[in-house]
Amino acid sequence: MSLAESSSSKIPGFNTRAVHAGQAFEPRTGAVVPPVHFSSTYAQEAIGVLRAGYEYGRGTNPTRDSLQEQLAALEGGTAAFSFSSGLAAEDSMIRALTRPGDHIVLGNDAYGGTYRLISRVLGEWGIGNTPVDMSDLDAVAKAIAAGGAADGGSAADGGKTRLVWVETPSNPMMKITDIEALATLAHDAGALLVVDNTFASPYLQNPLALGADIVVHSTTKYIGGHSDVVGGAIIVNDAELAEKIGFVQFAVGAVSGPMDAFLTTRGLKTLGVRMDRHSDNAQAVAEWLLTRPEVEAVLYPGLPSHPGHELAKKQMTKFGGMISVQFKGGEAAARKVAESTSVFTLAESLGGIESLMNYPSEMTHASVKGTELAVPVNLIRLSCGIEDVEDLIADLEQALDGLAGTESGS
Ligand code: PLP
């Protein structure tokens, strides 16, 4: 019996859903782990008569279905769609829900690749955008009401705000936005609220339960969790949205392949255990960083000094594994630290079991350099892995000790 077939009306706990949703054993052999289905096509009983609903791999695939069921169960959605990358997921979803002349109001510290997609690819097709500080709800309300034409945005005149797009915590400024309040603002204006839940993961935050319409993930990050697969997902709890997004997933075909879907499913089963550890490690690292004289600011919502701390406590169960740090020694200090660690690996991406270090202004966010989304040059971003926290702190300690004599502000 699968979880879906269970007679119990109680929704199982998060970790039970993570392990079992979409993962029924294979009935022919009893294999506990469902096999990976590589076949691109399926034998038909007669013309147009399918054996088990499967016809062609772009449209549906059993391994992708397993992952989609698991994702929907963990985000509290009725439907999930798995794509070949986070940006492929975003692109297909935006194409499904907007038309030329429409407008997107998005966070002014959204992931650089998201901004590049919206401004430089979809912008060419007549989708306008206004970047705004999402933690300032008055500014958001103004931007929405103006159909995106406010605040110097690149609005097509007469355009209408169709999507309000927020990352919380945001990447890499770690701002926290009130999802419930933003959902009300968006809905009052007839717009949909999209939450990029990549940093929090469904273990720490469920935007649909807070009123969001659409959840986006780069599953490359915490959901896959092992830095060995690129993918993306969209989760919704509305039949009409599901129908529109499902159609574009099928018609465009930017789907995840079977092996990618399998690796993502395997990672997702341990999400809860990993997120507990990522969060505990990050909390300890953030508190240690606060004690260091070289540090100008530690951006981590688990710190009581963080402006979004109380809100994060309300809408998240823990504070996650991501920390941004700004250095008094400016760009030179940030660059030096980024190139001086050995347990933290200098690399793009985040959310894997291994700790990663990133210098956003030249790496993940290089595409927004010179725009209002530009990241401060004295900032590094840490993705705290699941290693022993003493080793993480010792690694950072030797890197910060090495800053002695670094010129300030250079
Ligand atoms: N959203 C966030 C918050 C990200 O950090 C990223 C990638 O870094 C993406 C979306 C895009 O995902 P992908 O790289 O899987 O296309």
Side-chain angles (χ1 to χ4, degrees):
M1 186 167 61
S2 73
L3 266 194
E5 294 158 351
S6 155
S7 58
S8 160
S9 58
K10 180 179 173 295
I11 297 174
F14 185 93
N15 291 302
T16 308
R17 278 177 280 148
V19 172
H20 292 288
Q23 307 304 311
F25 66 82
E26 199 268 317
R28 190 173 68 82
T29 61
V32 167
V33 177
V36 185
H37 290 269
F38 288 105
S39 189
S40 60
T41 191
Y42 297 84
Q44 304 193 2
E45 297 263 9
I47 296 170
V49 181
L50 309 181
R51 290 164 194 271
Y54 291 100
E55 184 175 16
Y56 181 62
R58 170 167 37 74
T60 46
N61 168 281
T63 309
R64 192 164 77 239
D65 280 354
S66 292
L67 170 60
Q68 293 180 158
E69 201 179 314
Q70 197 185 16
L71 285 164
L74 296 184
E75 277 291 8
T78 51
F81 302 93
S82 170
F83 291 87
S84 56
S85 72
L87 287 177
E90 294 180 8
D91 182 51
S92 287
M93 181 264 284
I94 296 169
R95 282 177 201 279
L97 303 178
T98 61
R99 295 293 173 268
D102 284 347
H103 207 88
I104 300 175
V105 171
L106 78 164
N108 63 2
D109 61 346
Y111 167 59
T114 297
Y115 184 64
R116 181 177 54 209
L117 168 70
I118 290 174
S119 60
R120 291 179 52 193
V121 179
L122 297 166
E124 295 290 311
W125 295 90
I127 307 293
N129 75 81
T130 302
V132 66
D133 179 352
M134 282 288 161
S135 60
D136 178 350
L137 292 179
D138 288 341
V140 179
K142 253 203 259 165
I144 295 174
D151 304 328
S154 55
D157 279 346
K160 167 136 180 39
T161 302
R162 200 65 66 193
L163 302 178
V164 176
W165 190 295
V166 66
E167 290 172 21
T168 178
S170 66
N171 175 15
M173 300 310 290
M174 303 302 294
K175 286 185 184 164
I176 304 294
T177 296
D178 187 334
I179 296 174
E180 224 166 351
L182 200 58
T184 303
L185 269 186
H187 295 161
D188 285 353
L192 297 167
L193 177 62
V194 180
V195 177
D196 183 331
N197 205 25
T198 297
F199 266 37
S201 90
Y203 183 66
L204 301 184
Q205 178 171 273
N206 292 130
L208 296 177
L210 296 167
D213 302 284
I214 297 154
V215 169
V216 178
H217 279 284
S218 169
T219 57
T220 314
K221 311 299 177 344
Y222 285 109
I223 284 181
H226 296 73
S227 306
D228 55 9
V229 60
V230 171
I234 302 292
I235 302 109
V236 296
N237 57 9
D238 174 272
E240 195 184 325
L241 290 179
E243 205 271 318
K244 287 180 176 169
I245 295 164
F247 173 72
V248 175
Q249 183 196 38
F250 165 69
V252 173
V255 292
S256 45
M259 196 61 196
D260 288 357
F262 169 74
L263 285 171
T264 308
T265 276
R266 189 168 69 162
L268 193 42
K269 289 178 183 174
T270 58
L271 180 70
V273 190
R274 287 186 283 109
M275 290 313 293
D276 279 336
R277 175 75 169 210
H278 284 299
S279 300
D280 294 349
N281 278 359
Q283 185 75 39
V285 168
E287 285 171 10
W288 176 82
L289 282 165
L290 274 186
T291 68
R292 293 292 304 208
E294 303 85 352
V295 168
E296 180 182 275
V298 183
L299 313 181
Y300 184 66
L303 296 174
S305 56
H306 187 285
H309 179 64
E310 288 306 318
L311 184 55
K313 260 184 12 196
K314 207 176 86 181
Q315 65 186 22
M316 300 173 75
T317 52
K318 284 192 174 184
F319 304 104
M322 301 302 300
I323 306 173
S324 289
V325 194
Q326 291 179 268
F327 290 95
K328 290 177 188 158
E331 176 173 356
R335 281 178 175 270
K336 189 158 187 206
V337 171
E339 292 175 348
S340 307
T341 54
S342 55
V343 183
F344 283 88
T345 301
L346 181 64
E348 301 269 348
S349 203
L350 62 108
I353 52 171
E354 61 291 289
S355 291
L356 297 180
M357 169 85 73
N358 173 42
Y359 182 62
S361 72
E362 293 290 344
M363 294 171 67
T364 47
H365 291 64
S367 65
V368 291
K369 223 173 151 180
T371 73
E372 70 171 287
L373 280 76
V375 174
V377 292
N378 71 338
L379 182 144
I380 58 169
R381 191 189 73 186
L382 306 178
S383 173
C384 295
I386 64 165
E387 300 95 333
D388 294 298
V389 70
E390 301 76 24
D391 295 325
L392 299 184
I393 290 174
D395 194 33
L396 292 170
E397 186 166 36
Q398 61 76 32
L400 267 61
D401 287 349
L403 286 181
T406 304
E407 288 295 308
S408 175
S410 56

